[in-house]
Structure formats: structure tokens, C-alpha cells
């Protein structure tokens, strides 16, 4: 039996609590059935709420949970009934998430906020559309002050195929370009989850070609076709992380100049040690040599390999140059002689 992680329990609890509050004392059986958990798991989750509250943690500032006669109630303390105050970045994050949901329900809708979608989920007056309009008004995003929400270059029909396959538990034949290996292959996958992260759509699935769990970037899937074969998904698919390093991946240490600090923010790493000259010594796991070479070529002279992949940049540069040299040999370039 797999053990549920803390992140998954928290996400589940954040879904259970508002539903219980909205239904004003639903039965334990109804809660368990709706969220697909046992009574033991429900009680264990709700026990986490007993010590949740605000300073000074007196009874009137704590969340109250009551389970009696087969029913469950969650009552918020007065502190939690105050209007939520969001910072501008938090508000923009909510706008982006809401717009993404509307875009998924209506692929033809415009991506910029400030203009209502053509056909949002539930219609033009759906609760989500109405809440989004109010939030945009508070943030001053109406009219000409629009914010572009980039959801990644994933065709709506491809996303729809993958999401339908996830819900129907049917296998999918995909043609996928692997960035790390610089190769395209066909493979049958068992789709577990479609999610977005940092502007890209991802598919978490079991790949039958390699007999293992794999994460696919949707914009690198050239084609997808649902198959008539079905599968049973695991109860716990684990964390939805874009990158998970493996112990066997080589550890590379890089010296990162100040102009390449974006590398520290964008890529998972095991350690980042700043130095007095503004440089940062970054240790990270390189899942493939092709990925590391592309990173080094992108960063240019602002990143230097300290250990773990000596000569990687030079080898990649030679291969790139080799692609252009044959072409230049066929050109009739003017030749000048030195005097």
C-alpha cells in the first residue's frame, strides 16, 4: 500500500474543507465517496485542522471540527471570516489560473485578460467568469491594460485528446520528440495526469516503451491517437514535478556569472553557493549530456564547468560548427590574398 505524501494530503484537505462547509454537515459516507477516501483517512486528515488557527491560538481563533452521528461539520473561527487580502502578484496568479481554466473549456477564447472569453466554462455568466471579471477590475486589468497569459504552444485538440484519455483511462499512441536525446519516436503511454507548470503543459504517464514513469512536454508531442485499450491507473501517482533527478545522474558543478543568474532560478539544483565576486557555484544533476550541452551553449561564456562535465561545451560547439562547415564548402566565396 503506497503512502500518501504531505503535499497530496494538503491538496486533498483544501478540497474537502470548503465542500464540507458549503454542505453544512454532510454525512461521513458522502464525503468519503465524493473524495475517494476511507473513513479512517478522512478522520486522519481532519485531525490536522484541530490545531490550525491564528495567533494567539485561543479557542475562538482555531478551526473547529465536529464528527457526530455519522456527520461532519467544519466551523471557521471569526479570524477566517475576514475578507482575504491578496497582494498584486497573488491576484495576478489567480487571474492566470482562472484564465487557463477558461481557455481549456473554450480553446477559441482570447488569451489576454481584460476581454471576456468567447464561450467560457458554464457560459458567459458562469461563476468562474464572473469572479474573474471582478478580480480583473480590482487589479485594474480591464480595458486597455491587458495581461497576456501564455499557456504554452499546445494545440487545443491535442490537449483535449490527452485529457479525455486520462478521464477514460485509455492508452494513447504518441509521436514524441525527445529534447534530451534529440530524437523522435513512437510510443504507447498510459496517461495519468495533464498539468501546466511554468508556462508549459505536461503529460505524466507510464511509458510502455521504457516500462517506466515518464513526463512528456505536450508541445513536443507531434501527434496523439487514443487507443481502444484501457488501463488501471495507480492510486498514488506521486508528485507532479517537472524535473526529478536520479541518484545515478552525474553531478555537475558550474561557475555562474551574475549575468546568468537566471540559471539558478530556472533549473533545479542541489546547492548554490554565492561568492564575493557575484558569481555562484551551482551543483546540479544532468539528466542527459544533450540537455547540459544545450544549457552551456545557451549561457555562453557566463557559465563555466568546474567539475563533472569538462569539455562538454567545446564538444557541443564543435558538433554545431560541423553542421555549417559542409554548407560553406559549397559556397563560392570571394578569396582575397594578403599583400
Amino acid at each position: 500500500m503506497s503512502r500518501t505524501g504531505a503535499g497530496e494530503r494538503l491538496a486533498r484537505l483544501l478540497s474537502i474543507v470548503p465542500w464540507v462547509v458549503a454542505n453544512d454537515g454532510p454525512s461521513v459516507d458522502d464525503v468519503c465517496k465524493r473524495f475517494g477516501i476511507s473513513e479512517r483517512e478522512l478522520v486522519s486528515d481532519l485531525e490536522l485542522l484541530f490545531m490550525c488557527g491564528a495567533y494567539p491560538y485561543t479557542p475562538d481563533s482555531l478551526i473547529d471540527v465536529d464528527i457526530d452521528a455519522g456527520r461532519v461539520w467544519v466551523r471557521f473561527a471569526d479570524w477566517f471570516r475576514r475578507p482575504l487580502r491578496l497582494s498584486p502578484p497573488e491576484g495576478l496568479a489567480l487571474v492566470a489560473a482562472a484564465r487557463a481554466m477558461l481557455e481549456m473549456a473554450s480553446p477559441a477564447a482570447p488569451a489576454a485578460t481584460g476581454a471576456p472569453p468567447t464561450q467560457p466554462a458554464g457560459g458567459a455568466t458562469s461563476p468562474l467568469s464572473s469572479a474573474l471579471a471582478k478580480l480583473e477590475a480590482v487589479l485594474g486589468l480591464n480595458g486597455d491594460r491587458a495581461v497576456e497569459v501564455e499557456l504554452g504552444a499546445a494545440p487545443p485538440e491535442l490537449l483535449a485528446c490527452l485529457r479525455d484519455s486520462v478521464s477514460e483511462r485509455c492508452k494513447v499512441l504518441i509521436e514524441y520528440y525527445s529534447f534530451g536525446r534529440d530524437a523522435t519516436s513512437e510510443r504507447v503511454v498510459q496517461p495519468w495526469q495533464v498539468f501546466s507548470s511554468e508556462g508549459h503543459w505536461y503529460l505524466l504517464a507510464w511509458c510502455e516503451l521504457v516500462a517506466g514513469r515518464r513526463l512528456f512536454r505536450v508541445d513536443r508531442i507531434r501527434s496523439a491517437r487514443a487507443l481502444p485499450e484501457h488501463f488501471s491507473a495507480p492510486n498514488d501517482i506521486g508528485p507532479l514535478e517537472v524535473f526529478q533527478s536520479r541518484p545515478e545522474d552525474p553531478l555537475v558543478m558550474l561557475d555562474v556569472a551574475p549575468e546568468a543568474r537566471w540559471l539558478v532560478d530556472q533549473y533545479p539544483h542541489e546547492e548554490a553557493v554565492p561568492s564575493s565576486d557575484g558569481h555562484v557555484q551551482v551543483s546540479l544533476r544532468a539528466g542527459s549530456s544533450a540537455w547540459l550541452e544545450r544549457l552551456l551553449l545557451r549561457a555562453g561564456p557566463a557559465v563555466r564547468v568546474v567539475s563533472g562535465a569538462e569539455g562538454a561545451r567545446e564538444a557541443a560547439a564543435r558538433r554545431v560548427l560541423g553542421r555549417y562547415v559542409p554548407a560553406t564548402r559549397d559556397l563560392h566565396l570571394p578569396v582575397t590574398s594578403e599583400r
Side-chain angles (χ1 to χ4, degrees):
M1 181 178 178
S2 59
R3 184 176 180 181
T4 304
E8 184 179 348
R9 288 189 66 188
L10 176 59
R12 186 170 66 196
L13 192 58
L14 291 175
S15 299
I16 292 175
V17 169
W19 190 83
V20 170
V21 172
N23 286 274
D24 191 24
S27 69
V28 172
D29 290 341
D30 287 344
V31 179
C32 294
K33 183 178 180 180
R34 179 175 180 83
F35 293 96
I37 58 177
S38 65
E39 182 176 347
R40 180 178 179 181
E41 289 175 314
L42 174 62
V43 173
S44 178
D45 285 348
L46 294 179
E47 284 179 348
L48 298 175
L49 293 176
F50 281 110
M51 298 304 296
C52 292
Y55 182 83
Y57 308 110
T58 53
D60 60 327
S61 62
L62 295 175
I63 296 176
D64 179 43
V65 179
D66 185 18
I67 302 177
D68 183 47
R71 298 178 65 188
V72 56
W73 290 266
V74 176
R75 301 179 180 89
F76 291 127
D78 291 338
W79 187 89
F80 292 96
R81 298 185 184 279
R82 300 173 187 172
L84 182 63
R85 293 183 177 273
L86 298 176
S87 65
E90 291 171 336
L92 287 174
L94 278 178
V95 167
R99 181 60 64 194
M101 294 184 67
L102 292 176
E103 289 289 334
M104 284 299 300
S106 175
T113 63
T118 305
Q119 184 62 36
T125 58
S126 68
L128 178 58
S129 178
S130 175
L132 177 60
K134 294 177 182 178
L135 181 58
E136 288 177 343
V138 171
L139 294 174
L141 300 179
N142 299 93
D144 296 332
R145 299 182 62 187
V147 174
E148 291 290 333
V149 179
E150 297 291 342
L151 299 180
E157 60 273 12
L158 177 59
L159 278 172
C161 174
L162 297 175
R163 290 172 64 89
D164 289 345
S165 299
V166 169
S167 61
E168 297 174 8
R169 295 290 189 262
C170 63
K171 298 182 181 181
V172 181
L173 175 64
I174 65 172
E175 183 184 6
Y176 186 72
Y177 169 71
S178 175
F179 184 81
R181 295 185 295 106
D182 192 20
T184 302
S185 62
E186 281 193 346
R187 56 185 76 197
V188 175
V189 300
Q190 301 174 13
W192 292 347
Q193 185 70 47
V194 176
F195 67 98
S196 62
S197 177
E198 299 181 2
H200 295 287
W201 290 103
Y202 292 90
L203 169 67
L204 177 63
W206 178 269
C207 177
E208 296 187 355
L209 180 65
V210 298
R213 167 191 171 119
R214 288 293 185 271
L215 188 66
F216 303 97
R217 243 178 69 170
V218 175
D219 60 343
R220 294 176 186 162
I221 298 178
R222 304 287 175 82
S223 63
R225 178 168 59 89
L227 300 176
E229 305 173 58
H230 290 76
F231 65 92
S232 298
N235 295 327
D236 182 12
I237 62 176
L240 299 178
E241 295 178 353
V242 174
F243 176 78
Q244 288 182 303
S245 62
R246 299 169 297 181
E248 61 268 23
D249 291 337
L251 184 64
V252 180
M253 179 176 290
L254 305 175
D255 179 71
V256 180
E259 59 267 29
R261 285 294 295 266
W262 51 265
L263 185 150
V264 183
D265 299 328
Q266 292 185 16
Y267 293 96
H269 52 273
E270 298 197 353
E271 188 178 29
V273 181
S275 58
S276 57
D277 59 357
H279 287 229
V280 181
Q281 298 286 318
V282 180
S283 299
L284 52 80
R285 297 281 178 182
S288 70
S289 58
W291 173 85
L292 178 62
E293 290 172 356
R294 286 186 174 92
L295 175 62
L296 294 175
L297 290 175
R298 177 188 174 191
V303 174
R304 180 177 60 87
V305 177
V306 177
S307 63
E310 294 80 355
R313 187 205 313 274
E314 292 76 9
R318 282 194 295 270
R319 284 200 301 275
V320 172
L321 183 61
R323 295 187 177 185
Y324 292 92
V325 170
T328 58
R329 290 174 180 169
D330 297 332
L331 298 177
H332 299 286
L333 301 176
V335 178
T336 58
S337 58
E338 294 184 5
R339 295 181 182 273

